[in-house]
Short mmCIF file of all heavy atoms in Angstrom, two decimals:
data_model
loop_
_atom_site.label_atom_id
_atom_site.label_comp_id
_atom_site.label_asym_id
_atom_site.label_seq_id
_atom_site.Cartn_x
_atom_site.Cartn_y
_atom_site.Cartn_z
N TYR A 138 93.35 128.19 36.11
CA TYR A 138 94.23 128.24 37.25
C TYR A 138 93.52 127.78 38.54
O TYR A 138 94.14 126.93 39.29
CB TYR A 138 94.63 129.77 37.51
CG TYR A 138 95.51 129.98 38.70
CD1 TYR A 138 96.86 129.67 38.69
CD2 TYR A 138 95.01 130.50 39.94
CE1 TYR A 138 97.69 129.82 39.74
CE2 TYR A 138 95.82 130.61 40.99
CZ TYR A 138 97.16 130.30 40.93
OH TYR A 138 97.95 130.49 42.05
N SER A 139 92.23 128.10 38.72
CA SER A 139 91.51 127.62 39.88
C SER A 139 91.28 126.12 39.80
O SER A 139 91.26 125.43 40.79
CB SER A 139 90.18 128.37 39.98
OG SER A 139 89.36 128.04 38.83
N GLY A 140 91.09 125.56 38.61
CA GLY A 140 90.95 124.10 38.50
C GLY A 140 92.18 123.36 38.86
O GLY A 140 92.18 122.27 39.45
N ASN A 141 93.33 123.89 38.49
CA ASN A 141 94.60 123.18 38.78
C ASN A 141 95.02 123.28 40.23
O ASN A 141 95.75 122.45 40.71
CB ASN A 141 95.74 123.84 37.90
CG ASN A 141 95.61 123.45 36.41
OD1 ASN A 141 94.93 122.49 36.10
ND2 ASN A 141 96.14 124.26 35.55
N THR A 142 94.52 124.35 40.93
CA THR A 142 94.94 124.51 42.36
C THR A 142 93.78 124.17 43.31
O THR A 142 93.95 124.39 44.48
CB THR A 142 95.36 125.92 42.58
OG1 THR A 142 94.25 126.86 42.28
CG2 THR A 142 96.53 126.31 41.69
N GLU A 143 92.78 123.44 42.88
CA GLU A 143 91.68 123.12 43.78
C GLU A 143 92.21 122.13 44.86
O GLU A 143 92.91 121.12 44.58
CB GLU A 143 90.55 122.41 42.95
CG GLU A 143 89.34 121.96 43.82
CD GLU A 143 88.28 121.30 43.02
OE1 GLU A 143 88.41 121.22 41.76
OE2 GLU A 143 87.29 120.90 43.64
N GLU A 144 91.90 122.45 46.08
CA GLU A 144 92.40 121.70 47.25
C GLU A 144 91.82 120.32 47.27
O GLU A 144 90.61 120.15 47.11
CB GLU A 144 92.12 122.41 48.53
CG GLU A 144 92.73 121.75 49.75
CD GLU A 144 92.48 122.45 51.02
OE1 GLU A 144 91.89 123.62 50.94
OE2 GLU A 144 92.81 121.95 52.11
N LYS A 145 92.64 119.26 47.41
CA LYS A 145 92.16 117.91 47.39
C LYS A 145 91.59 117.60 48.78
O LYS A 145 92.12 118.10 49.80
CB LYS A 145 93.34 116.95 47.10
CG LYS A 145 93.81 117.08 45.66
CD LYS A 145 94.95 116.07 45.54
CE LYS A 145 95.58 116.18 44.11
NZ LYS A 145 96.65 115.18 43.88
N PRO A 146 90.59 116.68 48.85
CA PRO A 146 90.07 116.32 50.10
C PRO A 146 91.11 115.45 50.94
O PRO A 146 91.98 114.79 50.29
CB PRO A 146 88.85 115.55 49.83
CG PRO A 146 88.99 115.10 48.45
CD PRO A 146 89.76 116.19 47.77
N LYS A 147 91.01 115.46 52.23
CA LYS A 147 91.93 114.72 53.09
C LYS A 147 91.41 113.28 53.47
O LYS A 147 90.20 113.25 53.96
CB LYS A 147 92.26 115.51 54.37
CG LYS A 147 93.27 114.96 55.28
CD LYS A 147 94.68 115.02 54.72
CE LYS A 147 95.67 114.56 55.75
NZ LYS A 147 97.01 114.60 55.20
N ALA A 148 92.17 112.37 53.33
CA ALA A 148 91.78 110.96 53.78
C ALA A 148 92.28 110.85 55.23
O ALA A 148 93.32 111.37 55.67
CB ALA A 148 92.43 109.94 52.92
N LYS A 149 91.52 110.05 56.05
CA LYS A 149 91.80 109.84 57.48
C LYS A 149 91.64 108.39 57.82
O LYS A 149 90.59 107.75 57.46
CB LYS A 149 90.97 110.79 58.31
CG LYS A 149 91.28 110.58 59.83
CD LYS A 149 90.33 111.53 60.69
CE LYS A 149 90.61 111.34 62.12
NZ LYS A 149 89.83 112.28 62.96
N VAL A 150 92.60 107.77 58.53
CA VAL A 150 92.52 106.37 58.90
C VAL A 150 92.13 106.27 60.37
O VAL A 150 92.64 107.02 61.24
CB VAL A 150 93.89 105.73 58.75
CG1 VAL A 150 93.86 104.22 59.32
CG2 VAL A 150 94.30 105.67 57.23
N SER A 151 91.17 105.38 60.72
CA SER A 151 90.81 105.09 62.09
C SER A 151 90.94 103.56 62.25
O SER A 151 90.74 102.80 61.37
CB SER A 151 89.39 105.56 62.38
OG SER A 151 88.45 104.99 61.53
N ILE A 152 91.18 103.19 63.50
CA ILE A 152 91.42 101.77 63.87
C ILE A 152 90.52 101.47 65.09
O ILE A 152 90.53 102.11 66.07
CB ILE A 152 92.90 101.48 64.28
CG1 ILE A 152 93.84 101.85 63.12
CG2 ILE A 152 93.08 100.02 64.57
CD1 ILE A 152 95.31 101.60 63.39
N LYS A 153 89.80 100.33 64.93
CA LYS A 153 88.96 99.80 66.04
C LYS A 153 89.34 98.36 66.30
O LYS A 153 89.64 97.63 65.42
CB LYS A 153 87.40 99.93 65.73
CG LYS A 153 86.93 101.39 65.68
CD LYS A 153 85.40 101.40 65.46
CE LYS A 153 84.87 102.77 65.51
NZ LYS A 153 83.44 102.86 65.30
N PRO A 154 89.39 98.03 67.68
CA PRO A 154 89.02 98.81 68.86
C PRO A 154 89.96 99.77 69.39
O PRO A 154 89.63 100.62 70.19
CB PRO A 154 88.78 97.66 69.89
CG PRO A 154 89.77 96.59 69.51
CD PRO A 154 89.82 96.56 68.01
N ASP A 155 91.32 99.64 68.88
CA ASP A 155 92.26 100.50 69.55
C ASP A 155 93.54 100.42 68.60
O ASP A 155 93.72 99.53 67.84
CB ASP A 155 92.67 100.09 70.94
CG ASP A 155 93.37 101.22 71.74
OD1 ASP A 155 93.52 102.26 71.15
OD2 ASP A 155 93.84 100.90 72.87
N HIS A 156 94.40 101.43 68.77
CA HIS A 156 95.67 101.36 68.02
C HIS A 156 96.58 100.36 68.60
O HIS A 156 97.43 99.83 67.89
CB HIS A 156 96.39 102.78 68.10
CG HIS A 156 95.68 103.79 67.34
ND1 HIS A 156 96.27 105.00 66.97
CD2 HIS A 156 94.43 103.82 66.72
CE1 HIS A 156 95.43 105.72 66.19
NE2 HIS A 156 94.33 104.98 66.10
N HIS A 157 96.47 100.04 69.86
CA HIS A 157 97.23 98.89 70.51
C HIS A 157 96.30 97.82 70.75
O HIS A 157 95.47 97.88 71.52
CB HIS A 157 97.96 99.40 71.83
CG HIS A 157 98.74 98.36 72.44
ND1 HIS A 157 99.23 98.51 73.72
CD2 HIS A 157 99.21 97.17 71.95
CE1 HIS A 157 100.03 97.42 73.99
NE2 HIS A 157 100.00 96.58 72.96
N VAL A 158 96.48 96.67 70.02
CA VAL A 158 95.60 95.51 70.14
C VAL A 158 96.42 94.32 70.50
O VAL A 158 97.72 94.34 70.55
CB VAL A 158 94.80 95.25 68.90
CG1 VAL A 158 93.85 96.35 68.58
CG2 VAL A 158 95.73 95.06 67.68
N PHE A 159 95.77 93.18 70.71
CA PHE A 159 96.43 91.97 71.12
C PHE A 159 96.21 90.78 70.18
O PHE A 159 95.14 90.71 69.54
CB PHE A 159 95.99 91.57 72.59
CG PHE A 159 96.39 92.72 73.52
CD1 PHE A 159 95.49 93.75 73.78
CD2 PHE A 159 97.54 92.70 74.13
CE1 PHE A 159 95.77 94.76 74.69
CE2 PHE A 159 97.90 93.76 75.04
CZ PHE A 159 96.99 94.71 75.35
N ARG A 160 97.15 89.94 70.13
CA ARG A 160 97.08 88.79 69.10
C ARG A 160 95.74 88.06 69.33
O ARG A 160 95.43 87.67 70.39
CB ARG A 160 98.29 87.90 69.40
CG ARG A 160 98.31 86.73 68.50
CD ARG A 160 99.78 86.09 68.34
NE ARG A 160 100.37 86.04 69.63
CZ ARG A 160 100.32 84.96 70.44
NH1 ARG A 160 99.59 83.85 70.07
NH2 ARG A 160 100.92 84.86 71.61
N GLY A 161 95.06 87.95 68.13
CA GLY A 161 93.80 87.20 68.20
C GLY A 161 92.60 88.08 68.18
O GLY A 161 91.48 87.57 67.91
N GLU A 162 92.74 89.37 68.43
CA GLU A 162 91.66 90.27 68.38
C GLU A 162 91.23 90.59 66.92
O GLU A 162 91.89 90.48 65.98
CB GLU A 162 92.00 91.63 69.07
CG GLU A 162 91.86 91.66 70.53
CD GLU A 162 91.86 93.05 71.09
OE1 GLU A 162 92.91 93.61 71.29
OE2 GLU A 162 90.78 93.51 71.34
#
Side-chain angles (χ1 to χ4, degrees):
Y138 180 78
S139 63
N141 289 338
T142 60
E143 182 179 357
E144 185 177 355
K145 294 181 180 179
K147 182 73 173 179
K149 182 179 179 181
V150 175
S151 59
I152 303 177
K153 289 186 177 181
D155 197 5
H156 289 197
H157 182 191
V158 295
F159 299 90
R160 179 159 46 89
E162 278 197 274

